Amino acid sequence: LIDTLGLTRQQFADHIRVTRQTIQLILAKKQSVTPEMAMRLGRAFDNYPRMWLDMQTGYDLARLAQTPEKQFSEIKPLPKIA
C-alpha cells in the first residue's frame, strides 16, 4: 500500500510521526497495530482506526487458530447462569 503511493517507508514513517523501524516491524508482522497506530493510519489513509484494529484482530485470531488445540482444549465452559 505504501509503495503504491510512491512513498518510501521512511517518508511514510515521517508522515505519520513514527520511526521507520516501527513501520518495518509492522510490515514484517513482528509488531502489532496498536490503538495509537490505528489512529495514525486512519488519519493518514482517511479511514477508520477501527478498521485497522479489526484487521489486526483478524490476523491474531487466524494465527491462534493454527495453534495446537491442546493449548485450549483443557479450558472448559463455565456453567450457565440461570
Side-chain angles (χ1 to χ4, degrees), residues 29-76:
K29 300 176 185 173
K30 295 184 179 193
Q31 182 172 312
S32 296
V33 172
T34 63
E36 178 183 332
M37 180 58 72
M39 289 293 290
R40 293 172 186 276
L41 294 170
R43 296 281 292 191
F45 291 107
D46 194 27
N47 54 31
Y48 299 99
R50 182 58 148 187
M51 179 191 80
W52 296 97
L53 291 176
D54 288 346
M55 285 194 295
Q56 181 65 55
T57 299
Y59 174 77
D60 292 343
L61 288 171
R63 284 190 55 202
L64 275 176
Q66 297 172 359
T67 302
E69 181 64 26
K70 184 180 178 201
Q71 182 176 345
F72 302 107
S73 64
E74 296 174 5
I75 302 172
K76 303 299 178 201

Side-chain angles (χ1 to χ4, degrees), residues 8-19:
T8 66
R9 291 175 182 188
Q10 183 64 59
Q11 289 170 323
F12 182 70
D14 292 344
H15 182 78
I16 64 170
R17 309 285 195 268
V18 298
T19 66

